[in-house]
Amino acid sequence: MASSSSSKAKAKLPSLTSQEIQQNFVRMQNDLQALAGKIGELEQEADEHTLVLNTLNEALAEEPDRKCFRLIGGVLVERTVKDVVPALQTNRDGIRKAVASLAEQYKTKEQDLDSFKKDYDIRLA
């Protein structure tokens, strides 16, 4: 009985040549690697924001009107610490949300890759 249900499942799969299966597999692996790279990059950026915020919070407690410089769109602008801190916190929170979203996408794509490997009986040497 189990073999008939697995043969039905295999019959529903699109008929792909071995080269197409390999191309799809490599594409899926590359997608996972690209997502992992982007997640790492964004996590590093969030960590940098946290370091800057820690430093600026000390300055905020002592001198909220102290001037600081911020790079916005390639332009260095002068602001006060009290103006920059909320903007940096918002940016960091947005980055963390993006990381969470990408992590969910990663999990989904990883599951898709696993089911693809199982469906087409792919074994890595």
Side-chain angles (χ1 to χ4, degrees), residues 9-64:
K10 291 210 184 244
K12 293 180 184 179
L13 293 175
S15 61
L16 299 175
T17 65
S18 61
Q19 185 177 8
E20 290 172 328
I21 292 170
Q22 183 179 8
Q23 287 173 344
N24 285 343
F25 181 72
V26 168
R27 179 186 48 79
M28 292 171 94
Q29 280 185 320
N30 289 340
D31 289 348
L32 276 176
Q33 287 177 339
L35 271 175
K38 189 63 175 175
I39 289 169
E41 180 182 319
L42 288 175
E43 284 177 339
Q44 183 177 2
E45 194 169 326
D47 290 345
E48 289 173 4
H49 274 69
T50 300
L51 287 173
V52 171
L53 280 168
N54 289 341
T55 302
L56 288 179
N57 280 330
E58 292 173 14
L60 184 62
E62 296 171 13
E63 292 180 74

Side-chain angles (χ1 to χ4, degrees), residues 98-110:
V99 167
S101 172
L102 288 174
E104 286 298 317
Q105 288 179 29
Y106 185 89
K107 287 178 187 176
T108 302
K109 286 187 181 276
E110 190 174 41

